[in-house]
């Protein structure tokens, strides 16, 4: 489903897809004040929706937080397929007829695949002083750094470029190694893994794990052990349980 802007003053904002027996009670989504979340059902599936005004902006920080809050809360109650932020449909009938009915089989299959699971995301960042010390353990880098420091800046342009490249490559090697270690320790507790390959700056590891509900406690304990082991080198954050943003099927991602 492509996001679109209806012409009426009120429309339906769609957060995601759940089974028709899902419980959205107590959930509030986007808007000011936040609108209550309800279900639009079609046979065995349903869409999580709330009213949204079409005469105002959509995309404030509060809206983004509301979107994630609805999906992440539902993920603790059952399977949920998150839609991209900004999915607006003109009315309840269109939600049922144009979103749910044409994709019923794909949605049911995806929900079954994600049953009793949620996403956990591990993010680790390097402590700058420590990573610099580790980088300078490379003798070639340390030697070139000393040479550059001993000469005027205008005389060392190419050497400084080369030094920057060597430092970046060394950090990338550390990042690759640390990601492999994190996956080795956490992947056995997960159903699926999605690791970032485009990390930059001081980011050490960014990986998402789809974890069965029966393993949530064990996964969190293993992540805490990793954070303790890396405490001198990195700052580790574990986010979850979350909606399975990184594990939706292509059929759902293209909706």
């Amino acid at each position: 489903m492509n996001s679109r802007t209806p012409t009426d003053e009120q429309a339906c904002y769609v957060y995601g897809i759940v089974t028709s027996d899902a419980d959205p009670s107590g959930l509030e989504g986007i808007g000011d004040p936040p609108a209550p979340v309800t279900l639009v059902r079609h046979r065995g599936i349903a869409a999580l929706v709330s009213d949204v005004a079409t005469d105002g902006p959509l995309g404030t920080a509060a809206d983004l937080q509301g979107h994630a809050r609805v999906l992440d809360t539902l993920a603790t109650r059952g399977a949920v397929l998150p839609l991209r932020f900004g999915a607006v449909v003109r009315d309840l009938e269109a939600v049922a007829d144009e979103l749910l009915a044409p994709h019923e089989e794909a949605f049911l299959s995806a929900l079954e695949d994600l049953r009793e699971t949620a996403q956990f995301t591990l993010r680790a960042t390097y402590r700058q002083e420590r990573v610099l010390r580790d980088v300078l353990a490379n003798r070639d880098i340390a030697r070139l750094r000393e040479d550059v420091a001993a000469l005027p800046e205008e005389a060392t342009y190419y050497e400084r470029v080369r030094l920057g490249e060597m430092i970046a490559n060394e950090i990338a090697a550390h990042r690759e190694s640390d990601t492999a270690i994190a996956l080795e320790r956490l992947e056995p507790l997960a159903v699926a893994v999605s690791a970032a390959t485009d990390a930059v700056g001081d980011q050490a590891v960014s990986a998402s794990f789809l974890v069965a509900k029966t393993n949530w406690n064990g996964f969190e304990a293993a992540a805490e052990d990793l954070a303790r082991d890396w405490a001198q080198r990195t700052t580790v954050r574990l986010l979850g349980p979350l909606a399975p943003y990184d594990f939706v099927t292509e059929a759902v991602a293209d909706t």
Side-chain angles (χ1 to χ4, degrees):
M1 178 189 61
N2 293 324
S3 300
R4 53 182 174 172
T5 303
T7 57
D8 298 332
E9 293 183 0
Q10 204 76 13
C12 288
Y13 184 90
V14 187
Y15 300 87
I17 310 299
V18 292
T19 55
S20 59
D21 59 353
D23 176 19
S25 60
L27 287 179
E28 294 182 330
I30 66 171
D32 184 17
V37 176
T38 59
L39 295 180
V40 175
R41 293 183 173 87
H42 173 79
R43 295 159 63 98
I45 58 176
L48 293 159
V49 305
S50 66
D51 291 338
V52 60
T54 61
D55 58 354
L58 180 65
T60 65
D63 287 337
L64 292 167
Q65 292 166 4
H67 178 87
R69 181 175 61 247
V70 168
L71 293 168
D72 294 342
T73 301
L74 259 296
T76 67
R77 301 180 184 179
V80 57
L81 307 178
L83 296 185
R84 289 185 290 267
F85 178 83
V88 178
V89 180
R90 65 176 180 271
D91 55 31
L92 299 178
E93 183 178 352
V95 172
D97 294 344
E98 298 177 16
L99 172 61
L100 298 179
H103 302 96
E104 179 183 0
E105 290 186 7
F107 287 162
L108 280 172
S109 177
L111 286 166
E112 178 61 27
D113 290 342
L114 296 171
R115 188 166 60 91
E116 296 293 312
T117 65
Q119 176 174 315
F120 287 79
T121 297
L122 182 86
R123 293 175 181 163
T125 55
Y126 289 119
R127 298 185 185 277
Q128 290 187 357
E129 291 184 1
R130 176 58 185 266
V131 74
L132 178 60
R133 189 168 68 196
D134 291 344
V135 166
L136 292 178
N138 181 312
R139 293 183 180 179
D140 291 336
I141 293 177
R143 186 179 303 110
L144 181 58
R145 183 170 182 258
E146 291 174 357
D147 292 344
V148 167
L151 295 171
E153 181 175 339
E154 61 273 13
T156 58
Y157 172 79
Y158 293 106
E159 287 79 4
R160 284 186 286 112
V161 170
R162 180 169 169 246
L163 178 61
E165 292 174 345
M166 292 174 67
I167 290 174
N169 290 337
E170 186 71 11
I171 292 176
H174 281 272
R175 187 181 293 122
E176 182 177 354
S177 174
D178 288 334
T179 297
I181 291 170
L183 295 182
E184 181 181 3
R185 294 177 62 165
L186 298 177
E187 188 171 9
L189 298 170
V191 176
V193 176
S194 176
T197 58
D198 56 352
V200 295
D202 61 356
Q203 188 175 68
V205 179
S206 180
S208 295
F209 302 82
L210 188 67
V211 183
K213 191 172 185 178
T214 53
N215 276 346
W216 287 2
N217 291 338
F219 186 88
E220 289 176 324
E224 289 173 0
D225 288 343
L226 180 66
R228 279 193 293 269
D229 291 346
W230 283 2
Q232 299 301 314
R233 300 175 53 243
T234 68
T235 300
V236 176
R237 293 179 61 205
L238 182 67
L239 308 176
L242 308 170
Y245 303 102
D246 295 327
F247 300 97
V248 293
T249 63
E250 290 184 6
V252 175
D254 293 339
T255 300

Tab-separated table of all heavy atoms in Angstrom, residues 163-214:
chain	number	residue	atom	x	y	z
A	163	LEU	N	46.846	8.696	6.477
A	163	LEU	CA	46.636	8.357	7.882
A	163	LEU	C	45.141	8.196	8.176
A	163	LEU	O	44.725	7.259	8.863
A	163	LEU	CB	47.238	9.439	8.774
A	163	LEU	CG	47.061	9.255	10.284
A	163	LEU	CD1	47.733	7.962	10.756
A	163	LEU	CD2	47.632	10.462	11.041
A	164	GLY	N	44.336	9.109	7.648
A	164	GLY	CA	42.893	8.998	7.860
A	164	GLY	C	42.332	7.719	7.288
A	164	GLY	O	41.466	7.071	7.908
A	165	GLU	N	42.795	7.338	6.099
A	165	GLU	CA	42.330	6.101	5.473
A	165	GLU	C	42.746	4.882	6.299
A	165	GLU	O	41.956	3.950	6.478
A	165	GLU	CB	42.883	5.993	4.061
A	165	GLU	CG	42.301	7.025	3.098
A	165	GLU	CD	42.985	6.993	1.742
A	165	GLU	OE1	44.076	6.385	1.660
A	165	GLU	OE2	42.444	7.579	0.785
A	166	MET	N	43.977	4.899	6.806
A	166	MET	CA	44.451	3.770	7.597
A	166	MET	C	43.660	3.640	8.893
A	166	MET	O	43.313	2.525	9.315
A	166	MET	CB	45.945	3.934	7.901
A	166	MET	CG	46.836	3.800	6.677
A	166	MET	SD	48.596	4.162	7.041
A	166	MET	CE	49.014	2.791	8.125
A	167	ILE	N	43.360	4.766	9.530
A	167	ILE	CA	42.576	4.726	10.763
A	167	ILE	C	41.173	4.200	10.480
A	167	ILE	O	40.640	3.351	11.215
A	167	ILE	CB	42.519	6.120	11.411
A	167	ILE	CG1	43.903	6.497	11.962
A	167	ILE	CG2	41.470	6.167	12.517
A	167	ILE	CD1	43.987	7.915	12.483
A	168	ALA	N	40.552	4.689	9.393
A	168	ALA	CA	39.206	4.226	9.034
A	168	ALA	C	39.201	2.733	8.758
A	168	ALA	O	38.282	2.009	9.183
A	168	ALA	CB	38.694	5.000	7.830
A	169	ASN	N	40.208	2.247	8.059
A	169	ASN	CA	40.278	0.820	7.752
A	169	ASN	C	40.495	-0.010	9.009
A	169	ASN	O	39.946	-1.118	9.143
A	169	ASN	CB	41.402	0.554	6.748
A	169	ASN	CG	41.098	1.091	5.368
A	169	ASN	OD1	39.936	1.288	5.009
A	169	ASN	ND2	42.132	1.344	4.579
A	170	GLU	N	41.286	0.504	9.924
A	170	GLU	CA	41.536	-0.228	11.167
A	170	GLU	C	40.262	-0.308	12.011
A	170	GLU	O	39.947	-1.363	12.580
A	170	GLU	CB	42.653	0.459	11.956
A	170	GLU	CG	43.101	-0.291	13.196
A	170	GLU	CD	43.883	-1.554	12.882
A	170	GLU	OE1	44.263	-1.753	11.698
A	170	GLU	OE2	44.118	-2.339	13.817
A	171	ILE	N	39.536	0.800	12.087
A	171	ILE	CA	38.269	0.785	12.841
A	171	ILE	C	37.283	-0.176	12.173
A	171	ILE	O	36.560	-0.910	12.852
A	171	ILE	CB	37.682	2.199	12.938
A	171	ILE	CG1	38.576	3.073	13.823
A	171	ILE	CG2	36.262	2.159	13.504
A	171	ILE	CD1	38.142	4.521	13.906
A	172	ALA	N	37.242	-0.189	10.841
A	172	ALA	CA	36.361	-1.103	10.126
A	172	ALA	C	36.705	-2.554	10.437
A	172	ALA	O	35.809	-3.403	10.573
A	172	ALA	CB	36.446	-0.850	8.620
A	173	ALA	N	37.997	-2.841	10.563
A	173	ALA	CA	38.410	-4.204	10.903
A	173	ALA	C	37.962	-4.569	12.309
A	173	ALA	O	37.498	-5.698	12.560
A	173	ALA	CB	39.932	-4.332	10.772
A	174	HIS	N	38.087	-3.617	13.254
A	174	HIS	CA	37.593	-3.854	14.618
A	174	HIS	C	36.087	-4.083	14.597
A	174	HIS	O	35.568	-4.964	15.292
A	174	HIS	CB	37.929	-2.654	15.506
A	174	HIS	CG	39.345	-2.617	15.975
A	174	HIS	ND1	39.787	-3.239	17.116
A	174	HIS	CD2	40.449	-2.021	15.442
A	174	HIS	CE1	41.074	-3.032	17.284
A	174	HIS	NE2	41.505	-2.292	16.270
A	175	ARG	N	35.399	-3.271	13.799
A	175	ARG	CA	33.938	-3.371	13.722
A	175	ARG	C	33.518	-4.735	13.179
A	175	ARG	O	32.587	-5.362	13.703
A	175	ARG	CB	33.406	-2.241	12.841
A	175	ARG	CG	31.905	-2.116	12.812
A	175	ARG	CD	31.497	-0.989	11.886
A	175	ARG	NE	31.902	0.311	12.400
A	175	ARG	CZ	32.678	1.173	11.758
A	175	ARG	NH1	33.146	0.868	10.554
A	175	ARG	NH2	32.985	2.331	12.292
A	176	GLU	N	34.196	-5.181	12.141
A	176	GLU	CA	33.880	-6.486	11.560
A	176	GLU	C	34.106	-7.601	12.567
A	176	GLU	O	33.285	-8.523	12.702
A	176	GLU	CB	34.725	-6.709	10.310
A	176	GLU	CG	34.432	-8.023	9.606
A	176	GLU	CD	35.247	-8.182	8.335
A	176	GLU	OE1	35.956	-7.224	7.957
A	176	GLU	OE2	35.178	-9.267	7.717
A	177	SER	N	35.200	-7.518	13.295
A	177	SER	CA	35.508	-8.525	14.299
A	177	SER	C	34.496	-8.510	15.437
A	177	SER	O	34.013	-9.567	15.878
A	177	SER	CB	36.916	-8.301	14.845
A	177	SER	OG	37.195	-9.183	15.915
A	178	ASP	N	34.135	-7.324	15.914
A	178	ASP	CA	33.196	-7.224	17.026
A	178	ASP	C	31.797	-7.674	16.625
A	178	ASP	O	31.074	-8.292	17.412
A	178	ASP	CB	33.160	-5.788	17.555
A	178	ASP	CG	34.432	-5.423	18.306
A	178	ASP	OD1	35.086	-6.336	18.840
A	178	ASP	OD2	34.772	-4.223	18.351
A	179	THR	N	31.401	-7.366	15.388
A	179	THR	CA	30.101	-7.838	14.907
A	179	THR	C	30.069	-9.355	14.870
A	179	THR	O	29.071	-9.982	15.260
A	179	THR	CB	29.797	-7.250	13.515
A	179	THR	OG1	29.713	-5.834	13.604
A	179	THR	CG2	28.489	-7.797	12.969
A	180	ALA	N	31.157	-9.952	14.405
A	180	ALA	CA	31.231	-11.416	14.352
A	180	ALA	C	31.116	-12.016	15.749
A	180	ALA	O	30.437	-13.039	15.956
A	180	ALA	CB	32.527	-11.850	13.677
A	181	ILE	N	31.758	-11.382	16.721
A	181	ILE	CA	31.688	-11.873	18.102
A	181	ILE	C	30.262	-11.767	18.641
A	181	ILE	O	29.740	-12.705	19.264
A	181	ILE	CB	32.661	-11.087	18.985
A	181	ILE	CG1	34.103	-11.419	18.629
A	181	ILE	CG2	32.405	-11.381	20.469
A	181	ILE	CD1	35.135	-10.518	19.273
A	182	ALA	N	29.622	-10.620	18.408
A	182	ALA	CA	28.251	-10.430	18.886
A	182	ALA	C	27.313	-11.462	18.266
A	182	ALA	O	26.462	-12.042	18.957
A	182	ALA	CB	27.781	-9.016	18.576
A	183	LEU	N	27.457	-11.701	16.977
A	183	LEU	CA	26.593	-12.672	16.311
A	183	LEU	C	26.865	-14.083	16.815
A	183	LEU	O	25.931	-14.877	17.009
A	183	LEU	CB	26.794	-12.608	14.798
A	183	LEU	CG	26.370	-11.310	14.109
A	183	LEU	CD1	26.581	-11.418	12.600
A	183	LEU	CD2	24.918	-10.982	14.404
A	184	GLU	N	28.122	-14.403	17.045
A	184	GLU	CA	28.467	-15.729	17.545
A	184	GLU	C	27.800	-16.005	18.897
A	184	GLU	O	27.339	-17.121	19.161
A	184	GLU	CB	29.984	-15.871	17.659
A	184	GLU	CG	30.443	-17.236	18.165
A	184	GLU	CD	31.954	-17.329	18.288
A	184	GLU	OE1	32.634	-16.312	18.042
A	184	GLU	OE2	32.447	-18.413	18.626
A	185	ARG	N	27.703	-14.970	19.727
A	185	ARG	CA	27.154	-15.155	21.068
A	185	ARG	C	25.633	-15.060	21.114
A	185	ARG	O	24.996	-15.695	21.963
A	185	ARG	CB	27.788	-14.128	22.015
A	185	ARG	CG	29.277	-14.377	22.201
A	185	ARG	CD	29.953	-13.345	23.063
A	185	ARG	NE	29.443	-13.286	24.420
A	185	ARG	CZ	30.073	-12.668	25.418
A	185	ARG	NH1	31.249	-12.083	25.187
A	185	ARG	NH2	29.560	-12.632	26.626
A	186	LEU	N	25.036	-14.278	20.216
A	186	LEU	CA	23.601	-14.023	20.311
A	186	LEU	C	22.766	-14.752	19.259
A	186	LEU	O	21.594	-15.052	19.507
A	186	LEU	CB	23.340	-12.517	20.217
A	186	LEU	CG	23.960	-11.664	21.327
A	186	LEU	CD1	23.689	-10.189	21.070
A	186	LEU	CD2	23.430	-12.074	22.699
A	187	GLU	N	23.343	-15.023	18.104
A	187	GLU	CA	22.561	-15.645	17.030
A	187	GLU	C	21.961	-16.990	17.424
A	187	GLU	O	20.826	-17.299	17.014
A	187	GLU	CB	23.419	-15.788	15.773
A	187	GLU	CG	22.631	-16.244	14.554
A	187	GLU	CD	23.450	-16.170	13.268
A	187	GLU	OE1	24.674	-15.931	13.357
A	187	GLU	OE2	22.855	-16.344	12.196
A	188	PRO	N	22.659	-17.837	18.227
A	188	PRO	CA	22.044	-19.110	18.600
A	188	PRO	C	20.739	-18.966	19.381
A	188	PRO	O	19.947	-19.919	19.445
A	188	PRO	CB	23.131	-19.770	19.467
A	188	PRO	CG	24.407	-19.177	18.986
A	188	PRO	CD	24.068	-17.754	18.673
A	189	LEU	N	20.487	-17.783	19.949
A	189	LEU	CA	19.269	-17.558	20.717
A	189	LEU	C	18.173	-16.916	19.880
A	189	LEU	O	17.099	-16.612	20.405
A	189	LEU	CB	19.578	-16.662	21.919
A	189	LEU	CG	20.577	-17.238	22.933
A	189	LEU	CD1	20.987	-16.173	23.935
A	189	LEU	CD2	19.975	-18.435	23.643
A	190	ALA	N	18.422	-16.709	18.593
A	190	ALA	CA	17.483	-15.992	17.739
A	190	ALA	C	16.972	-16.880	16.616
A	190	ALA	O	17.598	-17.873	16.236
A	190	ALA	CB	18.149	-14.744	17.143
A	191	VAL	N	15.830	-16.482	16.071
A	191	VAL	CA	15.244	-17.159	14.919
A	191	VAL	C	15.870	-16.648	13.627
A	191	VAL	O	16.069	-17.399	12.673
A	191	VAL	CB	13.714	-16.934	14.891
A	191	VAL	CG1	13.084	-17.548	13.647
A	191	VAL	CG2	13.070	-17.486	16.154
A	192	ALA	N	16.181	-15.360	13.597
A	192	ALA	CA	16.775	-14.735	12.419
A	192	ALA	C	17.584	-13.526	12.866
A	192	ALA	O	17.380	-12.991	13.961
A	192	ALA	CB	15.701	-14.319	11.414
A	193	VAL	N	18.508	-13.084	11.989
A	193	VAL	CA	19.398	-11.976	12.311
A	193	VAL	C	19.498	-11.043	11.111
A	193	VAL	O	19.513	-11.494	9.956
A	193	VAL	CB	20.809	-12.478	12.682
A	193	VAL	CG1	21.753	-11.305	12.931
A	193	VAL	CG2	20.765	-13.380	13.897
A	194	SER	N	19.567	-9.744	11.387
A	194	SER	CA	19.825	-8.753	10.349
A	194	SER	C	20.878	-7.795	10.885
A	194	SER	O	20.604	-7.000	11.789
A	194	SER	CB	18.541	-7.984	10.002
A	194	SER	OG	18.804	-6.961	9.068
A	195	ALA	N	22.103	-7.884	10.359
A	195	ALA	CA	23.219	-7.066	10.842
A	195	ALA	C	23.528	-5.974	9.844
A	195	ALA	O	23.590	-6.219	8.629
A	195	ALA	CB	24.452	-7.927	11.079
A	196	ALA	N	23.730	-4.751	10.341
A	196	ALA	CA	24.058	-3.623	9.478
A	196	ALA	C	25.458	-3.798	8.909
A	196	ALA	O	26.381	-4.239	9.600
A	196	ALA	CB	23.966	-2.322	10.247
A	197	THR	N	25.616	-3.435	7.652
A	197	THR	CA	26.930	-3.520	6.991
A	197	THR	C	27.447	-2.148	6.595
A	197	THR	O	28.500	-2.052	5.959
A	197	THR	CB	26.842	-4.410	5.738
A	197	THR	OG1	25.858	-3.859	4.842
A	197	THR	CG2	26.448	-5.832	6.105
A	198	ASP	N	26.716	-1.102	6.961
A	198	ASP	CA	27.097	0.252	6.538
A	198	ASP	C	27.393	1.157	7.725
A	198	ASP	O	27.188	2.363	7.663
A	198	ASP	CB	25.997	0.866	5.676
A	198	ASP	CG	24.645	0.882	6.388
A	198	ASP	OD1	24.535	0.286	7.475
A	198	ASP	OD2	23.701	1.483	5.843
A	199	ALA	N	27.861	0.564	8.830
A	199	ALA	CA	28.148	1.351	10.024
A	199	ALA	C	29.272	2.341	9.743
A	199	ALA	O	30.187	2.083	8.961
A	199	ALA	CB	28.530	0.438	11.182
A	200	VAL	N	29.210	3.491	10.407
A	200	VAL	CA	30.233	4.526	10.240
A	200	VAL	C	30.541	5.131	11.605
A	200	VAL	O	29.868	4.865	12.600
A	200	VAL	CB	29.763	5.642	9.279
A	200	VAL	CG1	29.585	5.091	7.878
A	200	VAL	CG2	28.465	6.277	9.763
A	201	GLY	N	31.565	5.978	11.636
A	201	GLY	CA	31.892	6.706	12.846
A	201	GLY	C	32.286	5.790	13.982
A	201	GLY	O	33.053	4.841	13.800
A	202	ASP	N	31.728	6.053	15.171
A	202	ASP	CA	32.105	5.278	16.348
A	202	ASP	C	31.184	4.093	16.587
A	202	ASP	O	31.250	3.448	17.636
A	202	ASP	CB	32.144	6.175	17.591
A	202	ASP	CG	30.793	6.806	17.893
A	202	ASP	OD1	29.836	6.611	17.114
A	202	ASP	OD2	30.692	7.505	18.935
A	203	GLN	N	30.335	3.780	15.628
A	203	GLN	CA	29.436	2.640	15.788
A	203	GLN	C	30.233	1.344	15.680
A	203	GLN	O	30.960	1.120	14.720
A	203	GLN	CB	28.343	2.678	14.720
A	203	GLN	CG	27.256	1.639	14.931
A	203	GLN	CD	26.140	1.780	13.925
A	203	GLN	OE1	26.331	1.534	12.740
A	203	GLN	NE2	24.978	2.195	14.379
A	204	ALA	N	30.074	0.483	16.678
A	204	ALA	CA	30.782	-0.790	16.688
A	204	ALA	C	29.925	-1.904	16.098
A	204	ALA	O	30.370	-2.644	15.225
A	204	ALA	CB	31.188	-1.147	18.117
A	205	VAL	N	28.704	-2.045	16.606
A	205	VAL	CA	27.804	-3.109	16.165
A	205	VAL	C	26.396	-2.557	16.095
A	205	VAL	O	25.960	-1.818	16.981
A	205	VAL	CB	27.824	-4.318	17.138
A	205	VAL	CG1	26.850	-5.397	16.670
A	205	VAL	CG2	29.229	-4.890	17.270
A	206	SER	N	25.687	-2.904	15.032
A	206	SER	CA	24.260	-2.629	14.934
A	206	SER	C	23.616	-3.839	14.299
A	206	SER	O	23.826	-4.110	13.113
A	206	SER	CB	23.978	-1.371	14.111
A	206	SER	OG	22.579	-1.130	14.029
A	207	ALA	N	22.859	-4.582	15.091
A	207	ALA	CA	22.261	-5.823	14.595
A	207	ALA	C	20.906	-6.032	15.239
A	207	ALA	O	20.702	-5.701	16.417
A	207	ALA	CB	23.170	-7.015	14.887
A	208	SER	N	19.980	-6.564	14.452
A	208	SER	CA	18.647	-6.877	14.944
A	208	SER	C	18.458	-8.384	14.957
A	208	SER	O	18.934	-9.090	14.055
A	208	SER	CB	17.579	-6.217	14.069
A	208	SER	OG	17.657	-4.808	14.163
A	209	PHE	N	17.737	-8.852	15.953
A	209	PHE	CA	17.528	-10.281	16.143
A	209	PHE	C	16.033	-10.542	16.319
A	209	PHE	O	15.370	-9.861	17.114
A	209	PHE	CB	18.269	-10.776	17.392
A	209	PHE	CG	19.751	-10.534	17.365
A	209	PHE	CD1	20.270	-9.292	17.724
A	209	PHE	CD2	20.629	-11.532	16.980
A	209	PHE	CE1	21.636	-9.052	17.707
A	209	PHE	CE2	22.004	-11.301	16.954
A	209	PHE	CZ	22.508	-10.056	17.326
A	210	LEU	N	15.526	-11.504	15.592
A	210	LEU	CA	14.149	-11.954	15.788
A	210	LEU	C	14.205	-13.091	16.793
A	210	LEU	O	14.826	-14.127	16.538
A	210	LEU	CB	13.545	-12.425	14.460
A	210	LEU	CG	12.057	-12.739	14.489
A	210	LEU	CD1	11.232	-11.470	14.732
A	210	LEU	CD2	11.623	-13.409	13.184
A	211	VAL	N	13.545	-12.893	17.934
A	211	VAL	CA	13.706	-13.817	19.056
A	211	VAL	C	12.349	-14.380	19.470
A	211	VAL	O	11.376	-13.629	19.628
A	211	VAL	CB	14.356	-13.102	20.259
A	211	VAL	CG1	14.583	-14.086	21.412
A	211	VAL	CG2	15.684	-12.465	19.845
A	212	ALA	N	12.290	-15.702	19.640
A	212	ALA	CA	11.068	-16.340	20.121
A	212	ALA	C	10.792	-15.900	21.554
A	212	ALA	O	11.709	-15.706	22.352
A	212	ALA	CB	11.202	-17.861	20.052
A	213	LYS	N	9.523	-15.760	21.877
A	213	LYS	CA	9.135	-15.267	23.192
A	213	LYS	C	9.719	-16.118	24.306
A	213	LYS	O	10.093	-15.608	25.375
A	213	LYS	CB	7.612	-15.229	23.298
A	213	LYS	CG	7.083	-14.485	24.511
A	213	LYS	CD	5.580	-14.312	24.440
A	213	LYS	CE	5.067	-13.460	25.597
A	213	LYS	NZ	3.593	-13.252	25.514
A	214	THR	N	9.840	-17.409	24.086
A	214	THR	CA	10.390	-18.301	25.113
A	214	THR	C	11.859	-18.020	25.380
A	214	THR	O	12.393	-18.461	26.406
A	214	THR	CB	10.225	-19.771	24.685
A	214	THR	OG1	10.787	-19.949	23.369
A	214	THR	CG2	8.753	-20.165	24.650
